[in-house]
Amino acid sequence: MALMPEEQGDVESSLNPSRALDVPASHHVGPRSIHTTIDSTITRPGAVRINFQGAFIVDDDAATLQLVEDGGALHDSRDIRLPHHTAVVSHVAVDIGGSLAKLVYFSREPASKELGGRLNFLKFETDNIEQCLDFINRLKTEQQRLNGSKPGELCVMATGGGAYKYYDRMKEVLGVEVLREDEMECLIIGKAYIEESLRLDFFITEIPNEVFTYRDTDPMHFAEARADVYPYLLVNIGSGVSMIKVSGPKQYQRIGGTSLGGGTLWGLLSLLTGARSFDDMLAMAEKGDNTAVDMLVGDIYGTDYGKIGLKSSTIASSFGKVFKMKRQAETDAEDGGGLVNGDRAQVGGASGDMHSFAPEDMSRSLLYAISNNIGQIAYLQSEKHDLEHIYFGGSFIRGHRQTMNTLAYAIRFWSEGKKKAYFLRHEGYLGAVGAFLKRQPRNWGRRNSFEELTS
């Protein structure tokens, strides 16, 4: 038995961003200042320090999705402005998943005398990985103008399965150092990172108006920062779904998941509709009416099933009307002489008759089915592991209102209003942010690392 989300309210569709970091601000420092330089730049081995003071999300008036020149990338206009970050940044981060490659990099403010810069967020379809590498190559040639470092100093922090699949290709095309980082660890670091001397929960506490709850009557209610961050459940929805219990800094465990994720929606709708991109599919779902293909409680009982708390609008069976309508169409065709020599009745697709199934309706039905399934599994995992706070991330969400409303409604329904679903405006870049945060100076902690900095 699935849930029918409450009627949606309009909310601006947001994409995903990520973050970039800095590296030592000076390349030539004297022996007496070496420890000062390190202390002011590195918060701890394995992490790079960013000056988050005054950080805010840039909500440009331009359309949310922009095609970046000929780079094949979708650039989210919601960059993160870091007005007080002045140190040199000499790396970019890329999270290469099964469907999308997410890129984050730092750039100075163009044509501005103001200090600081911004974190830029882009995504490419993984099938077009060469376009992503071409874009990184462009960043490589523009390193000095963008962030003050020399072209040869660029380092690529890579995570996700593609960091291994495309490692040799990245080294060949880019000709720079490529460091591969563990995918799960990057997800957690990008989501919430704490060090001994400074609480650095990047998304939760450092960026204002980043975390929010959603419902139709209050589409984007920004959550207040919490001191008691841990424990929580992170539900990362990409091609598949991973559910991770986070108990503390670098204390995490994958406790479950499902293979029915964004890749499932993309794959099935590629077969069922003419959509060519994930965003096309979401746009179709926005226009669809799932009741044309889903069987509802009201279709079975004729009214609510109040005894067990089910409204008539609750989805009893996803795509449940399809077989019934198809069988009826075939019967009508047979009775009317419409079937000749064993020809099959044309229902759905391009038939255009009263029994056809619109791509928009199928898109919404499948979106509800997958989102409801993820929401219910997430709730069950939170109950099993006694986790109150549930955060949803990953490129499947994309700030899409129907997706968020379905997930949020599922958590509210199954928990009887005791739990909430939390979303992030930059939900698709957790892994890339974590990889960026793990950047450290070359040879940190190894012999000659100090000598290299002072040379």
Side-chain angles (χ1 to χ4, degrees), residues 174-219:
L174 301 176
V176 299
E177 183 179 18
V178 178
L179 300 180
R180 293 175 290 191
E181 299 293 344
D182 179 75
E183 181 176 7
M184 290 300 165
E185 186 170 329
C186 286
L187 280 174
I188 303 308
I189 292 177
K191 175 64 177 60
Y193 186 90
I194 293 183
E195 60 192 55
E196 292 181 3
S197 61
L198 174 66
R199 200 171 191 90
L200 183 58
D201 299 294
F202 189 85
F203 286 109
I204 299 177
T205 62
E206 297 296 340
I207 308 300
N209 296 337
E210 172 68 40
V211 179
F212 64 95
T213 57
Y214 183 95
R215 65 187 308 160
D216 59 333
T217 56
D218 191 8

Side-chain angles (χ1 to χ4, degrees), residues 320-331:
K321 289 180 180 176
V322 173
F323 176 75
K324 182 178 180 180
M325 294 173 67
K326 183 176 184 296
R327 184 176 59 184
Q328 183 62 47
E330 291 174 343
T331 300

Side-chain angles (χ1 to χ4, degrees), residues 17-143:
S18 240
R19 295 88 190 111
L21 280 62
D22 54 70
V23 150
S26 173
H27 295 79
H28 303 283
V29 292
R32 289 191 299 178
S33 64
I34 183 65
H35 292 288
T36 301
T37 300
I38 293 176
D39 290 342
S40 65
T41 306
I42 306 300
T43 58
R44 56 167 291 167
V48 177
R49 191 173 195 171
I50 304 178
N51 188 340
F52 294 112
Q53 183 181 359
F56 61 91
I57 298 174
V58 180
D59 287 307
D60 291 340
D61 293 332
T64 300
L65 289 177
Q66 300 179 25
L67 192 63
V68 179
E69 299 177 359
D70 60 348
L74 287 176
H75 179 196
D76 186 357
S77 61
R78 289 180 173 85
D79 299 334
I80 293 181
R81 180 81 165 87
L82 302 175
H84 299 289
H85 181 78
T86 58
V88 174
V89 179
S90 61
H91 65 286
V92 301
V94 60
D95 177 10
I96 309 175
S99 303
L100 296 172
K102 288 76 68 176
L103 178 69
V104 56
Y105 68 93
F106 177 85
S107 66
R108 302 295 176 190
E109 290 299 299
S112 174
K113 295 182 180 180
E114 296 181 5
L115 296 175
R118 65 175 62 199
L119 302 177
N120 302 269
F121 309 99
L122 298 88
K123 64 178 180 177
F124 302 78
E125 291 187 12
T126 303
D127 287 344
N128 300 325
I129 191 65
E130 294 297 327
Q131 293 179 336
C132 180
L133 299 182
D134 289 344
F135 191 91
I136 296 176
N137 251 335
R138 189 190 312 173
L139 294 178
K140 174 183 171 183
T141 61
E142 297 179 352
Q143 273 291 93

Side-chain angles (χ1 to χ4, degrees), residues 68-366:
V68 179
E69 299 177 359
D70 60 348
L74 287 176
H75 179 196
D76 186 357
S77 61
R78 289 180 173 85
D79 299 334
I80 293 181
R81 180 81 165 87
L82 302 175
H84 299 289
H85 181 78
T86 58
V88 174
V89 179
S90 61
H91 65 286
V92 301
V94 60
D95 177 10
I96 309 175
S99 303
L100 296 172
K102 288 76 68 176
L103 178 69
V104 56
Y105 68 93
F106 177 85
S107 66
R108 302 295 176 190
E109 290 299 299
S112 174
K113 295 182 180 180
E114 296 181 5
L115 296 175
R118 65 175 62 199
L119 302 177
N120 302 269
F121 309 99
L122 298 88
K123 64 178 180 177
F124 302 78
E125 291 187 12
T126 303
D127 287 344
N128 300 325
I129 191 65
E130 294 297 327
Q131 293 179 336
C132 180
L133 299 182
D134 289 344
F135 191 91
I136 296 176
N137 251 335
R138 189 190 312 173
L139 294 178
K140 174 183 171 183
T141 61
E142 297 179 352
Q143 273 291 93
Q144 190 164 6
R145 181 181 67 82
L146 286 175
N147 52 41
S149 63
K150 299 176 182 178
E153 294 173 344
L154 178 69
C155 173
V156 175
M157 307 294 292
T159 188
Y164 297 86
K165 181 177 181 179
Y166 299 106
Y167 177 74
D168 291 337
R169 183 58 180 165
M170 285 190 286
K171 294 278 289 184
E172 176 186 353
V173 172
L174 301 176
V176 299
E177 183 179 18
V178 178
L179 300 180
R180 293 175 290 191
E181 299 293 344
D182 179 75
E183 181 176 7
M184 290 300 165
E185 186 170 329
C186 286
L187 280 174
I188 303 308
I189 292 177
K191 175 64 177 60
Y193 186 90
I194 293 183
E195 60 192 55
E196 292 181 3
S197 61
L198 174 66
R199 200 171 191 90
L200 183 58
D201 299 294
F202 189 85
F203 286 109
I204 299 177
T205 62
E206 297 296 340
I207 308 300
N209 296 337
E210 172 68 40
V211 179
F212 64 95
T213 57
Y214 183 95
R215 65 187 308 160
D216 59 333
T217 56
D218 191 8
M220 187 176 283
H221 182 80
F222 293 114
E224 296 292 333
R226 295 185 299 106
D228 56 335
V229 176
Y230 303 108
Y232 63 80
L233 177 66
L234 171 59
V235 182
N236 194 60
I237 314 173
S239 297
V241 183
S242 287
M243 299 185 184
I244 307 165
K245 176 184 178 181
V246 184
S247 304
K250 293 191 176 182
Q251 297 178 18
Y252 60 89
Q253 176 188 7
R254 187 183 188 276
I255 56 177
T258 172
S259 62
L260 304 181
T264 309
L265 182 72
W266 197 335
L268 290 178
L269 289 185
S270 295
L271 295 174
L272 295 172
T273 74
R276 295 188 177 183
S277 72
F278 197 78
D279 292 299
D280 288 343
M281 296 170 188
L282 293 181
M284 286 196 303
E286 190 79 19
K287 303 174 184 177
D289 176 11
N290 69 297
T291 63
V293 293
D294 290 344
M295 184 177 293
L296 310 182
V297 168
D299 295 322
I300 301 173
Y301 290 91
T303 184
D304 296 343
Y305 191 177
K307 189 174 182 179
I308 58 175
L310 296 178
K311 297 179 181 179
S312 61
S313 59
T314 300
I315 300 172
S317 175
S318 297
F319 280 75
K321 289 180 180 176
V322 173
F323 176 75
K324 182 178 180 180
M325 294 173 67
K326 183 176 184 296
R327 184 176 59 184
Q328 183 62 47
E330 291 174 343
T331 300
D332 292 345
E334 289 174 346
D335 292 344
L339 293 183
V340 181
N341 295 327
D343 292 340
R344 301 184 60 151
Q346 295 294 314
V347 292
S351 65
D353 63 24
M354 61 179 296
H355 297 293
S356 65
F357 304 111
E360 293 82 2
D361 299 341
M362 292 187 289
S363 296
R364 179 171 286 205
S365 173
L366 191 59

